[in-house]
Amino acid sequence: DVKVTQSSRYLVKRTGEKVFLECVQDMDHENMFWYRQDPGLGLRLIYFSYDVKMKEKGDIPEGYSVSREKKERFSLILESASTNQTSMYLCASSPTIYYEQYFGPGTRLTVT
Amino acid sequence: AQTVTQSQPEMSVQEAETVTLSCTYDTSESDYYLFWYKQPPSRQMILVIRQEAYKQQNATENRFSVNFQKAAKSFSLKISDSQLGDAAMYFCASSRDDKIIFGKGTRLHILP
């Protein structure tokens, strides 16, 4: 079975802190994605990557950056966390864009 | 901008009954893919069903089936013989270029 893991289920950070959210997949997938999920807004794409060291902005990249140094790992970085970044963050991977996306369990981030 | 609209934020259905979740989408692409994902409470998002737009036949997966109306850009999900385990958020999604666009979700309650 495909497994996508995220480094933390719950995280509490202070405003202005640098935050790293890690995502690892074990199926050698080319594509990886970071979404944020907010009530009433669904899933919104922050960044995605279709290859190592490649990244593309999604619909809401402001305030975020990403890193993909190895194929299996895709990190989301909040350079200076703000309260409006309190949200559920979901990572996903897929072999191609048109195939099923496999999701991690999510990280619920609270910025105080 | 490409959109996916789920007009029912919440729905309820009696156990063993049939329920249909609505989804409309907007795309200018000639070939695209449509998806329904399920997110059970506190559990990972999983794919329920996938439809390739060039295929006329509606996709089915056990108790789950879709009604794909390409001209109307409609992609509804029918759940037959609803079970308590079907209680979840359901997200409709559409491919766009090299990304997936999600709707805002429908929360489905199953009444025992």
Side-chain angles (χ1 to χ4, degrees), chain A residues 9-104:
Chain A
R9 290 299 302 271
Y10 300 93
L11 207 53
V12 180
K13 294 292 182 180
R14 293 194 179 277
T15 301
E17 278 193 84
K18 190 169 186 175
V19 181
F20 293 86
L21 303 182
E22 303 269 315
C23 175
V24 177
Q25 51 98 357
D26 66 357
M27 281 299 291
D28 202 37
H29 286 168
E30 301 291 336
N31 301 286
M32 296 188 75
F33 309 84
W34 275 107
Y35 297 90
R36 64 176 283 175
Q37 181 180 7
D38 300 288
L41 297 178
L43 275 71
R44 294 179 292 166
L45 182 64
I46 304 171
Y47 268 96
F48 68 104
S49 168
Y50 51 87
D51 201 354
V52 176
K53 296 194 186 293
M54 305 299 288
K55 60 184 179 184
E56 293 286 340
K57 292 180 180 179
D59 298 315
I60 52 164
E62 296 79 18
Y64 304 94
S65 63
V66 290
S67 171
R68 193 167 180 200
E69 296 295 322
K70 293 185 178 181
K71 192 174 186 179
E72 67 270 19
R73 188 180 298 270
F74 191 37
S75 302
L76 180 69
I77 303 157
L78 288 65
E79 294 288 343
S80 178
S82 63
T83 55
N84 63 12
Q85 292 178 310
T86 291
S87 186
M88 170 70 85
Y89 290 88
L90 298 177
C91 175
S93 73
S94 71
T96 74
I97 191 65
Y98 300 120
Y99 197 68
E100 174 181 358
Q101 290 195 8
Y102 296 87
F103 284 82

Side-chain angles (χ1 to χ4, degrees), chain B residues 13-95:
Chain B
V13 63
Q14 208 75 34
E15 196 175 2
E17 297 294 310
T18 295
V19 64
T20 298
L21 280 59
S22 301
C23 174
T24 58
Y25 60 92
D26 180 22
T27 182
S28 57
E29 297 179 11
S30 57
D31 192 20
Y32 53 92
Y33 295 75
L34 298 165
F35 310 84
W36 277 99
Y37 282 88
K38 170 185 177 181
Q39 186 181 40
S42 301
R43 293 179 61 188
Q44 282 168 249
M45 185 102 70
I46 57 172
L47 180 71
V48 175
I49 203 163
R50 173 178 175 268
Q51 174 83 39
E52 298 168 62
Y54 66 88
K55 287 189 176 179
Q56 302 262 353
Q57 189 171 5
N58 289 326
T60 63
E61 285 289 341
N62 301 314
R63 296 183 295 107
F64 297 87
S65 62
V66 297
N67 183 5
F68 174 45
Q69 302 286 331
K70 191 172 184 178
K73 295 184 178 176
S74 170
F75 183 62
S76 59
L77 175 70
K78 185 171 86 171
I79 306 174
S80 304
D81 185 27
S82 298
Q83 300 175 1
L84 294 177
D86 296 333
M89 280 290 287
Y90 287 83
F91 292 96
C92 179
S94 166
S95 63

